[in-house]
Amino acid sequence: LAELGSRKHSTSSNTAAAVRAGCKALLSILSRVGRLSGTVSGTKSSKQAKPQATAQTLRVGERARRGPPARVARERSAPIRGATMFSAVAQSVDATSVQWAAGCCALSGAFYGALRVGLKGRDDVDFATRFEWAVRGVESAQAAYVGSYALAHLLGGGGPLPVVVVRRMAGYLWFDTAYELVLPYVRGHGTWGAAFLAHHLVGLAAHGLAVTNGALRTATSEVYLAELSTPSLHLSWMLKQLGLASGPAFLANGGIGAAAYVVFRVVWPPLMAWRHRDAAPWALEPGGDRVHAAFLACAAVFWGLNLFWFRKLWRMIAGAVGGGKKGEDPGDASAE
């Protein structure tokens, strides 16, 4: 540039060339200074890295002590919002539930073998009837198990059911789902519909959630009381298959089953929902508010179904006592 200033007599083209050369030289000098300053600043930053990391650690610890932001806390308290019913259903599957389902299959096979021997020579009891009979025997045993366990649990102080009991019931529901899907093909008529699939999917999802939700396991012990009426309903169906639908054993068993049905499926569900109306204990669990709302909704549907089938059960009992039309199949109410 100094040379450019001393050459006032230069042509314009020479002036432009000199300006370009000077700019290149200036940029070269600035780049060298920049690399040098970068090396120095890098050395300084490496010396300051440990204090900065310590300060960052302190800030993280302070945030941990203060707790997560409100938005993150809400997301953690409501994991169900991001979960699907199918993920909850998947939580109902583990080694215990699979083993229990396999045990139910083995027990139904044993019942079927015993029926083939005990009912040999009876042409009116075909394969489909023996198949259904064997499964109803498993359903009766399962109902007696969970119903009596729940009653003893509540009389002993209540609280959340052991997880293993919930897992076993989930295994039974998987067994029952497979049975209901196969039954129309065994009978050679009938179909399974959306209501059946919805019923079993909701049941499996509820048991999947109950594995990690103590409040739901506490309420589940009260739901299981309804199973105390199931053995009598299945026994009524069995007596009917043997042609004993008008005998004293059928009437006595029907009276016991009807009384248990009224107590545990008609009177108890609204009382149970009232007992668990407060959402505060549920809010202590992850996603507790949504689980509580879903529980109350399912309890209402459960009660409505029981009232619907109680009407049919009453018609069946009235028909049997009056000697007229027998009405509905007494085993259908237990299935619902």
Side-chain angles (χ1 to χ4, degrees), residues 68-83 286-288 290:
R71 178 181 60 82
V72 178
R74 288 194 298 269
E75 291 176 355
R76 289 180 180 177
S77 64
I80 298 177
R81 178 174 57 185
R290 287 173 173 80

Side-chain angles (χ1 to χ4, degrees), residues 85 89 177 180-181 192-204:
M85 173 177 286
V89 170
T177 301
E180 293 290 348
L181 290 174
W192 45 267
F196 154 73
L197 289 177
H199 173 272
H200 280 64
L201 285 176
V202 170
L204 289 169

Side-chain angles (χ1 to χ4, degrees), residues 89-117:
V89 170
Q91 293 178 13
S92 67
V93 180
D94 78 329
T96 300
S97 61
V98 171
Q99 291 172 2
W100 196 260
C104 289
C105 292
L107 184 59
S108 64
F111 283 162
Y112 181 86
L115 287 170
R116 287 195 64 182
V117 175

Side-chain angles (χ1 to χ4, degrees), residues 165-238:
V165 177
V166 176
R167 290 290 195 188
R168 289 171 178 172
M169 188 62 179
Y172 161 75
L173 285 175
W174 280 110
F175 162 80
D176 191 54
T177 301
Y179 159 70
E180 293 290 348
L181 290 174
V182 171
L183 184 60
Y185 301 99
V186 174
R187 288 176 171 174
H189 61 85
T191 58
W192 45 267
F196 154 73
L197 289 177
H199 173 272
H200 280 64
L201 285 176
V202 170
L204 289 169
H207 282 78
L209 291 175
V211 170
T212 57
N213 192 298
L216 184 55
R217 288 203 308 278
T218 300
T220 299
S221 63
E222 301 180 18
V223 175
Y224 284 172
L225 292 178
E227 297 298 328
L228 292 173
S229 65
T230 301
S232 294
L233 294 171
H234 283 309
L235 183 57
S236 293
W237 180 90
M238 295 174 187

Side-chain angles (χ1 to χ4, degrees), residues 107-108 111 132-143 234 238:
L107 184 59
S108 64
F111 283 162
E132 186 173 356
W133 198 322
V135 175
R136 284 179 180 268
V138 175
E139 292 174 345
S140 300
Q142 174 71 22
H234 283 309
M238 295 174 187

